[in-house]
């Protein structure tokens, strides 16, 4: 019954349009958090702490977008810096 109800709602033009926007606006952000930043679980408890942790996660996504828009290369999290000495002068 519920599958049929969902199909009916999505086949409605207005609801389908809203769902289509959601797929392009919100869902890729959560997919990026899960796939690239490995953010799949909260490490804190309580509404305020969860709100803060999600804020930091979304800030990381936004900073990455900001860097990409300004022509900076994205950070490769898998590569490790090579320490062969100090670059200090």
């Amino acid at each position: 019954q519920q599958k049929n109800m969902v199909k009916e709602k999505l086949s409605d033009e207005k609801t389908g349009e809203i769902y289509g926007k959601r797929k392009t606006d919100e869902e890729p952000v959560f997919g990026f958090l899960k796939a690239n930043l490995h953010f799949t679980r909260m490490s804190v408890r309580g509404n305020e702490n969860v709100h803060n942790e999600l804020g930091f996660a979304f800030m990381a996504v936004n900073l990455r977008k900001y860097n990409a828009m300004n022509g900076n290369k994205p950070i490769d999290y898998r590569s490790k810096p090579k320490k062969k000495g100090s670059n200090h002068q």
Side-chain angles (χ1 to χ4, degrees):
Q1 284 179 335
Q2 288 189 354
K3 284 185 179 183
N4 290 332
M5 183 183 72
V6 169
K7 283 182 184 179
E8 286 177 25
K9 283 188 177 184
L10 289 178
S11 65
D12 181 33
E13 189 174 317
K14 185 177 180 182
T15 311
E17 187 177 316
I18 293 170
Y19 183 70
K21 287 181 182 177
R22 178 182 157 206
K23 288 192 330 185
T24 59
D25 292 342
E26 286 91 14
E27 291 184 9
V29 174
F30 291 103
F32 178 83
L33 279 172
K34 289 171 71 176
N36 297 341
L37 299 181
H38 307 290
F39 188 81
T40 56
R41 291 179 178 230
M42 297 289 163
S43 60
V44 294
R45 291 184 180 189
N47 286 337
E48 187 176 340
N49 292 337
V50 167
H51 185 265
N52 290 338
E53 187 171 5
L54 267 177
F56 282 122
F58 291 143
M59 188 178 0
V61 172
N62 288 335
L63 285 172
R64 184 175 168 96
K65 284 183 186 179
Y66 177 79
N67 279 338
M69 287 173 38
N70 290 325
N72 298 329
K73 292 194 296 187
I75 298 171
D76 184 9
Y77 298 104
R78 293 175 294 248
S79 67
K80 299 192 184 215
K82 297 175 183 163
K83 296 181 181 178
K84 290 188 176 181
S86 177
N87 291 335
H88 297 285
Q89 296 179 0

